[in-house]
């Protein structure tokens, strides 16, 4: 036996029968992992050893204007991460409270759970994806039945290096990046175990409805609770969030009561899911101007990069509105069709 194979076999920790989810592939080492992913074993190790060079790092602006760091993997690593998502992560079950990045679920499926409630609390997790370190990923994969060795390889393939400023200088850590095909499922599964289940177990029996749409947390209760009761729940939520290893964004913590507009995920949820009135009027006016004046002037006003992409952007918005309110969306679609018939694409 070669020294390389001997070294690998000393790391094998074959899980006892029954500890591995029956839906998951049985992986005991790097060779069987490579086989299930459809690549050569040495390709996995090459990507791990050269991790610092296989990501294209760039920034895009957030809605707030602050930069969002994106780590885009090279084509080979992206293929492997997509296979990890398909072969392993997508086979693990998610709770109904998890809304984002779930096949067949729309944001309306999450928002509809909070319709007609007396009070709604909105909270936000800060730096959601990078909050999951390599050790966090490895430890989670060990809980589903994989050995320490296999979990470590998977964690290396699903994390990227981040420069963190500290008082002592800059240090490197590895965490789940935005830009990887495996990151959404991986973060959903880890957050479900460390946070979602704890919130449901503690607040669910007291009438609270809880959902998480990526880093957006929503809690609602059918009764008109007092400020003291709401403040207690917010404080307890912050404790649960910190215990799970996350941080909250205090500026995005909001309390919405039934006598004021309750808005989440871009829709109003007071009595039913609906398009906010000001948003509907904005697009109705925009489409009217497109019919009257054409695409060029309105694309420039809207801030769209090219005139050619402007109608497609509007079509995407209307498709989103259709999932919320089909009647109003149909009216906007009729205006768009009129503009396209008059001015072409």
């Amino acid at each position: 036996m070669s020294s390389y194979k001997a070294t690998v076999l000393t790391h094998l920790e074959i899980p006892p029968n029954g500890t591995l989810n029956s839906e998951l592939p049985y992986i005991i080492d790097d060779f069987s992992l490579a086989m299930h992913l459809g690549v050569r074993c040495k390709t996995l190790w090459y990507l791990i050893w050269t991790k610092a060079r296989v990501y294209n790092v760039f920034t895009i602006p957030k809605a707030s204007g602050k930069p969002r760091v994106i780590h885009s993997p090279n084509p080979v690593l992206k293929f492997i991460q997509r296979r990890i998502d398909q072969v392993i992560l997508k086979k693990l079950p998610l709770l109904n409270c998890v809304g984002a990045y779930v096949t067949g679920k729309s944001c309306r499926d999450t928002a509809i759970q909070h319709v007609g409630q007396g009070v709604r609390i909105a909270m936000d997790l800060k730096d959601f994806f990078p909050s999951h370190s390599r050790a966090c990923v490895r430890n989670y994969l060990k809980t589903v039945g994989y050995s320490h060795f296999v979990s470590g390889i998977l964690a290396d393939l699903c994390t990227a290096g981040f420069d963190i400023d500290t008082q002592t200088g800059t240090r490197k850590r590895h965490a789940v990046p935005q830009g990887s095909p495996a990151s959404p499922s991986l973060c959903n599964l880890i957050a479900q175990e460390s946070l979602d289940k704890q919130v449901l177990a503690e607040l669910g029996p007291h009438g609270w409805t809880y959902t998480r749409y990526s880093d957006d947390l929503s809690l609602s209760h059918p009764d008109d609770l007092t400020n003291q009761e709401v403040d207690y729940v917010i404080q307890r939520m912050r404790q649960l969030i910190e215990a799970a290893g996350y941080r909250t964004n205090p500026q995005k913590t909001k309390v919405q009561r039934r006598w004021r507009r309750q808005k989440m995920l871009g829709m109003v949820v007071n009595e039913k899911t609906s398009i906010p009135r000001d948003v509907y009027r904005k697009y109705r006016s925009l489409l009217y101007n497109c019919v009257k004046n054409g695409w060029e002037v309105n694309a420039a006003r809207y801030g769209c990069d090219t005139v050619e992409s402007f109608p497609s952007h509007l079509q995407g918005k209307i498709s989103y509105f259709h999932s919320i309110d089909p009647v109003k969306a149909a009216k906007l679609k009729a205006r768009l069709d009129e503009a396209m018939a008059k001015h072409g694409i």
Side-chain angles (χ1 to χ4, degrees):
M1 181 182 293
S2 68
S3 60
Y4 171 73
K5 290 185 177 180
T7 302
V8 171
L9 289 175
T10 58
H11 289 80
L12 294 186
E13 301 169 16
I14 301 176
N17 293 333
T19 61
L20 188 67
N21 187 309
S22 60
E23 297 294 325
L24 296 178
Y26 194 77
I27 302 170
I28 60 172
D29 58 10
D30 49 348
F31 294 98
S32 55
L33 173 60
M35 180 191 70
H36 282 289
L37 298 181
V39 296
R40 292 184 294 180
C41 185
K42 67 179 183 180
T43 301
L44 298 182
W45 287 110
Y46 174 79
L47 292 170
I48 292 173
W49 292 332
T50 61
K51 184 189 294 189
R53 304 196 301 270
V54 295
Y55 283 95
N56 177 29
V57 184
F58 57 94
T59 61
I60 59 174
K62 298 181 181 180
S64 61
K66 296 181 180 180
R68 185 191 304 276
V69 180
I70 302 297
H71 288 71
S72 178
N74 70 11
V76 178
L77 181 56
K78 182 176 289 187
F79 169 80
I80 291 173
Q81 290 171 341
R82 187 173 289 113
R83 288 290 296 160
I84 292 173
D85 188 43
Q86 295 169 345
V87 174
I88 299 174
L89 303 178
K90 281 289 194 291
K91 294 183 179 180
L92 293 166
L94 288 169
L95 298 171
N96 187 52
C97 66
V98 181
Y101 319 121
V102 181
T103 303
K105 265 191 175 183
S106 68
C107 57
R108 182 178 181 275
D109 295 322
T110 299
I112 202 170
Q113 299 181 54
H114 299 278
V115 169
Q117 300 286 64
V119 61
R120 175 180 169 266
I121 302 171
M123 303 185 76
D124 181 83
L125 300 179
K126 192 174 182 180
D127 298 326
F128 179 58
F129 280 73
S131 295
H132 303 90
S133 66
R134 178 192 178 277
C136 179
V137 174
R138 182 197 62 209
N139 292 337
Y140 169 75
L141 292 170
K142 288 171 67 175
T143 65
V144 303
Y146 288 120
S147 69
H148 182 90
F149 179 58
V150 171
S151 299
I153 297 174
L154 288 168
D156 278 325
L157 292 169
C158 292
T159 56
F162 290 80
D163 289 326
I164 306 297
D165 292 326
T166 64
Q167 294 180 351
T168 59
T170 301
R171 62 185 178 88
K172 182 76 93 176
R173 69 186 286 263
H174 293 278
V176 175
Q178 285 190 277
S180 163
S183 294
S185 297
L186 194 55
C187 293
N188 264 348
L189 290 164
I190 296 173
Q192 174 178 266
E193 292 299 317
S194 61
L195 177 62
D196 301 340
K197 289 184 177 180
Q198 280 64 35
V199 174
L200 291 172
E202 182 159 334
L203 299 180
H206 299 286
W208 287 94
T209 298
Y210 167 77
T211 60
R212 180 179 55 79
Y213 196 87
S214 187
D215 56 356
D216 292 326
L217 311 182
S218 290
L219 283 157
S220 61
H221 198 281
D223 299 333
D224 297 320
L225 302 179
T226 64
N227 291 335
Q228 290 76 12
E229 291 172 314
V230 172
D231 290 341
Y232 170 79
V233 171
I234 292 175
Q235 183 62 31
R236 184 59 186 143
M237 276 295 298
R238 286 175 177 160
Q239 294 172 351
L240 292 173
I241 289 168
E242 291 176 4
Y246 301 105
R247 295 178 298 161
T248 58
N249 189 340
Q251 296 178 345
K252 294 187 177 181
T253 299
K254 299 178 181 178
V255 178
Q256 302 170 339
R257 297 188 178 273
R258 73 167 80 243
W259 52 82
R260 302 190 67 177
R261 187 172 73 167
Q262 295 178 334
K263 185 179 177 182
M264 66 174 292
L265 302 178
M267 63 193 84
V268 178
V269 295
N270 287 72
E271 298 178 358
K272 63 177 183 178
T273 57
S274 60
I275 307 170
R277 188 176 302 174
D278 55 335
V279 174
Y280 175 72
R281 288 176 175 173
K282 170 188 172 182
Y283 280 92
R284 185 180 63 182
S285 175
L286 177 62
L287 288 165
Y288 173 80
N289 288 329
C290 287
V291 173
K292 185 177 180 180
N293 302 317
W295 307 116
E296 289 80 2
V297 175
N298 292 286
R301 289 177 179 174
Y302 190 80
C304 201
D305 294 335
T306 62
V307 176
E308 291 75 16
S309 65
F310 188 46
S312 298
H313 174 80
L314 293 175
Q315 284 181 326
K317 275 291 183 181
I318 293 173
S319 296
Y320 167 70
F321 292 152
H322 187 271
S323 68
I324 302 173
D325 192 329
V327 175
K328 288 185 176 180
K331 295 178 180 179
L332 297 177
K333 181 64 166 59
R335 280 289 188 185
L336 178 62
D337 291 341
E338 185 181 353
M340 294 175 70
K342 184 175 179 181
H343 301 287
I345 299 176

